[in-house]
Amino acid sequence: MTSMLTCSDYLLNLFELLAGDGTSEQLAQVPVEARAQLPARDLHRVERAGKLALRLRNTLDERRRHESELAALFDTAGDLARVRDPDAVLRAIVHRARMLLGSHVAYLSLNDSRAGTTYMRVTDGCVSALFQQVRLGMGEGLGGLVAQTARPYATPSYFEDERFTHTDDIDHAVGDERLVAILGVPLSVGGSVIGVLYAADRSTRDYSHDEIALLSSLADHAAIAIDNSRLLEETRHALVELNTAHETIREHNSAMRRAERAHDRLTDLVLRGGTLEDIAKAVADVLGGGIVVHDEDGTELACAATDSLPWPGRAVRQSRNSGRSVPWRTNLVCAALAGPELLGSLTLVGCHEPADADRRLFERAGVVTALVLLLRRRTAEAEERVRGELITELLGAGERAYGGLSARARRVGFDPEGSKVVLVSRCGNADRERLASTASRYVGQHSGLAGTHGDHLVLVLPGTDAGSAAQYAARALGTSAARPVTVGGSGPVEGLDGIAGKYEEACRCLEALLALGRTGEGAALAELGFLGVLLGDRGDLSGYVRRTVGAVLDYDSRKGTDLVKTLRSYFEHDAGLSRTARALHVHVNTVAQRLERVSALLGPDWRTPERGLEIQLALRLHRLSGDEQ
């Protein structure tokens, strides 16, 4: 038989259930059981105690729920304080919203102001790919209502609620996720709604004020996370821009200092009378590339840190027209200009696309080069004028003393002492200035003089070989003038007083070259054979004999033979071997052997008419000189 329970037993049972986290159902069961055991007076006490126990249980549950919510909010605040990955914070907030509200689904959408739409940023508990990828127009669906009013909205049955705009896309997505009840609260930053935080269930549900307040608190945290992310991104962007600006300023300052040093260096070179080679080396050193300098005609004037290059004429014209440097192959070309006049050009080798600062430095070097070229031209023009005047006075000095002319010659770098050769070329009015300028540069390289005298261009150069000097001058002047230039030479002559006479001889040599059709060549009278002897004034007869038949004369002297006599008889008898043999009283084979020896000494072409004539003249001069026994 079950023992009878007293009122105290039931009251103790209620306390034990409260202390042991008994459920509300267990607490409500205690008064029910007491009705069968206790009298009315005691039962009233137990029922009253049961109601108090249920109220206390509800209070305890509510406090625990608040504690859980507060803990979640503190955890979220901690996440925000330690934020490194904003997306991770948003995912944690959405997940906590779902857990705390006990919802099937939670998600967060953000506005895309540029596209005019709202898109899903984070979802938790979703299974529909269509729902996770849905993009809504502004003002559509429950979220549109929340965004427009900036207030929370809840619906226990989404498809039956007519307070917001339904669209096929939204309804299909919601239906695909099988959602019924939806709660949405705004994410606000600075009074503007940037998105919506949702909790949703797949069954009908009425969301309480506490649940709406909880979700709103989480939405505020999410808005803070998003705003912090924006601020962090703006801060990072500002730092990047600041670093970029700092680097730009640093590079600009460095470029300015480098440009100042380069400008000072180039200016110092110009003031100290630096050459184009000095300028080229300085620019090559500053820019770290090779430099080639050409004049306006394409002649290379200087080269530094690279090999020679062809003249980039087309690129020079482009640079001249634009006033800026232009690319050419893998190089950069800048015209050196004095106003619109082209003085020359610079080529920066191996630097097709330099930095802006280097390009400006290169173009500034072009200006400095133009200044040097202009000074060089003015100096050359002055020297050319002085040298030309000196040539005129030398040729017309006559019997005057040469003391004053010698002093003036030294002032322009010409040594009046020593051996010199005189070169003459004909210059017409069309190219007189160009040819004279070229000749001036040419003699400047050889410490000579150049000037015009009548229709002739006259060059006086140190040296003893007039023929070689004439040949070199003909090639150099012809290349510059882009046409054949014929040069007659004469000399050598010692001092200044014989230059006028050698000038006349060089003129006759020039006429002889032109008469012989040897246009574009250079030679001296001595190289024209008997024509030189005939045209020359006080020709070197013995020298001519030695140059023509000296080898035969030497052979006879060494061997005691008679090849000279055999040669003379050979020519006197019209090159007939038999008649020559009879005249010499020797066998014809002996004559043939002697002539073979002559061929070995004079060369196989001695029998040609032109060479034969020179040899006959040399033999006659040899006889007339009295040297022949």
Side-chain angles (χ1 to χ4, degrees):
M1 183 175 180
T2 304
S3 60
M4 294 294 293
L5 296 176
T6 65
C7 178
S8 298
D9 293 331
Y10 286 106
L11 293 176
L12 180 61
N13 190 14
L14 287 173
F15 279 113
E16 288 176 346
L17 288 174
L18 283 173
D21 290 333
T23 65
S24 297
E25 290 76 10
Q26 291 175 328
L27 291 171
Q29 186 63 31
V30 172
V32 174
E33 294 176 356
R35 290 191 187 102
Q37 299 289 334
L38 298 178
R41 182 180 176 182
D42 292 339
L43 178 61
H44 177 71
R45 290 178 180 175
V46 171
E47 287 178 345
R48 185 178 176 187
K51 291 178 180 179
L52 292 173
L54 285 173
R55 186 185 301 173
L56 183 59
R57 167 57 60 205
N58 289 335
T59 300
L60 291 174
D61 288 344
E62 187 68 20
R63 287 182 177 179
R64 287 174 181 173
R65 185 176 65 81
H66 281 304
E67 289 175 358
S68 177
E69 292 173 355
L70 288 173
L73 292 176
F74 283 130
D75 289 342
T76 302
D79 291 341
L80 290 175
R82 298 185 302 272
V83 62
R84 292 295 182 270
D85 182 2
D87 287 339
V89 175
L90 293 180
R91 287 193 296 271
I93 290 173
V94 172
H95 178 72
R96 286 172 184 149
R98 180 188 171 208
M99 293 297 101
L100 291 174
L101 269 69
S103 299
H104 296 123
V105 175
Y107 53 97
L108 184 147
S109 67
L110 292 179
N111 298 338
D112 185 348
S113 57
R114 292 184 179 180
T117 59
T118 298
Y119 64 96
M120 291 293 184
R121 176 69 180 271
V122 181
T123 63
D124 189 79
C126 293
V127 295
S128 168
L130 176 63
F131 184 79
Q132 295 177 50
Q133 298 173 4
V134 68
R135 185 174 278 266
L136 317 177
M138 292 292 190
E140 297 176 353
L142 183 141
L145 186 61
V146 173
Q148 285 179 339
T149 61
R151 294 173 54 193
Y153 272 89
T155 177
S157 180
Y158 174 83
F159 291 100
E160 297 176 1
D161 200 326
E162 299 297 333
R163 290 177 299 169
F164 43 82
T165 302
H166 287 266
T167 66
D168 291 340
D169 291 341
I170 301 175
D171 289 352
H172 288 161
V174 173
D176 195 56
E177 190 62 49
R178 296 184 294 108
L179 299 180
V180 177
I182 302 176
L183 167 62
V185 295
L187 277 70
S188 299
V189 174
S192 299
V193 177
I194 62 172
V196 178
L197 177 62
Y198 301 87
D201 290 273
R202 297 188 176 94
S203 59
T204 301
R205 174 176 175 176
D206 289 319
Y207 296 97
S208 67
H209 292 293
D210 290 340
E211 291 171 333
I212 295 173
L214 174 61
L215 193 62
S216 296
S217 296
L218 291 172
D220 290 340
H221 284 82
I224 293 172
I226 294 171
D227 194 44
N228 285 345
S229 174
R230 178 185 61 81
L231 293 175
L232 285 173
E233 186 62 29
E234 290 178 354
T235 302
R236 291 191 189 100
H237 184 67
L239 287 174
V240 170
E241 289 184 343
L242 183 61
N243 289 334
T244 302
H246 176 73
E247 184 65 22
T248 301
I249 293 172
R250 189 188 67 79
E251 291 178 355
H252 178 71
N253 289 337
S254 175
M256 288 291 292
R257 289 192 297 271
R258 184 163 168 249
E260 289 174 0
R261 290 194 298 269
H263 182 268
D264 292 344
R265 183 175 178 182
L266 293 175
T267 302
D268 182 62
L269 281 175
V270 174
L271 294 177
R272 288 191 294 106
T275 65
L276 287 173
E277 288 77 8
D278 297 330
I279 299 295
K281 290 178 182 178
V283 177
D285 182 50
V286 170
L287 297 179
I291 292 292
V292 180
V293 183
H294 292 93
D295 67 8
E296 70 274 19
D297 298 320
T299 302
E300 184 178 303
L301 301 178
C303 183
T306 186
D307 296 327
S308 297
L309 286 177
W311 182 53
R314 183 176 180 181
V316 172
R317 289 188 292 272
Q318 291 176 348
S319 177
R320 178 183 184 180
N321 293 334
S322 66
R324 300 295 305 276
S325 56
V326 298
W328 174 67
R329 297 180 181 175
T330 58
N331 313 312
L332 197 66
V333 174
C334 181
L337 303 172
E341 183 181 2
L342 178 66
L343 299 179
S345 65
L346 275 76
T347 301
L348 176 58
V349 180
C351 196
H352 183 255
E353 295 182 356
D356 289 341
D358 286 347
R359 181 184 288 269
R360 288 192 294 271
L361 275 176
F362 180 56
E363 291 171 353
R364 181 176 296 180
V367 175
V368 174
T369 302
L371 177 60
V372 173
L373 288 172
L374 190 61
L375 292 174
R376 177 174 170 169
R377 173 186 288 185
R378 297 292 179 261
T379 303
E381 289 174 351
E383 290 184 355
E384 180 182 340
R385 187 166 51 253
V386 172
R387 291 171 186 268
E389 293 172 355
L390 190 57
I391 284 287
T392 300
E393 295 189 28
L394 283 173
L395 296 180
E399 299 299 326
R400 286 174 29 190
Y402 285 86
L405 295 180
S406 297
R408 289 174 57 190
R410 288 190 177 92
R411 283 198 294 270
V412 295
F414 179 73
D415 184 6
E417 307 296 333
S419 299
K420 298 166 185 59
V421 295
V422 179
L423 310 179
V424 175
S425 179
R426 185 171 294 171
C427 57
N429 293 329
D431 59 353
R432 174 184 294 265
E433 183 176 348
R434 180 185 182 92
L435 200 59
S437 177
T438 301
S440 179
R441 289 198 297 269
Y442 181 76
V443 298
Q445 298 170 356
H446 298 83
S447 301
L449 297 176
T452 57
H453 186 70
D455 291 337
H456 290 147
L457 174 67
V458 183
L459 289 74
V460 180
L461 299 172
T464 57
D465 190 346
S468 296
Q471 292 175 19
Y472 291 135
R475 284 197 294 269
L477 297 178
T479 300
S480 177
R483 67 168 181 81
V485 174
T486 308
V487 178
S490 178
V493 61
E494 297 296 327
L496 300 179
D497 52 355
I499 289 178
K502 291 301 178 182
Y503 163 72
E504 298 295 337
E505 185 176 315
C507 289
R508 288 193 295 273
C509 180
L510 173 63
E511 295 301 325
L513 287 171
L514 295 174
L516 292 171
R518 294 174 62 176
T519 302
E521 298 182 21
L525 276 176
E527 298 170 329
L528 298 181
F530 72 93
L531 284 176
V533 175
L534 295 176
L535 294 171
D537 182 19
R538 298 182 301 276
D540 183 10
L541 299 181
S542 62
Y544 174 74
V545 172
R546 295 297 306 171
R547 287 192 298 273
T548 306
V549 294
V552 178
L553 295 174
D554 292 341
Y555 189 86
D556 281 348
S557 177
R558 291 195 313 271
K559 302 292 184 179
T561 55
D562 204 6
L563 295 182
V564 171
K565 184 177 180 181
T566 302
L567 265 176
R568 184 179 298 109
S569 179
Y570 175 75
F571 286 118
E572 289 174 351
H573 293 89
D574 298 327
L577 294 180
S578 299
R579 284 176 290 177
T580 302
R582 286 195 296 272
L584 295 176
H585 307 288
V586 297
H587 194 273
V588 67
N589 289 339
T590 301
V591 174
Q593 291 173 359
R594 291 178 180 178
L595 295 180
E596 287 179 3
R597 174 59 59 185
V598 170
S599 296
L601 294 171
L602 300 182
D605 64 338
W606 71 272
R607 298 175 189 265
T608 62
E610 182 179 352
R611 185 80 185 281
L613 181 60
E614 292 183 353
I615 292 173
Q616 291 181 67
L617 179 60
L619 292 174
R620 287 180 180 272
L621 291 173
H622 180 58
R623 173 180 286 180
L624 292 172
S625 67
D627 293 334
E628 184 177 345
Q629 299 299 325

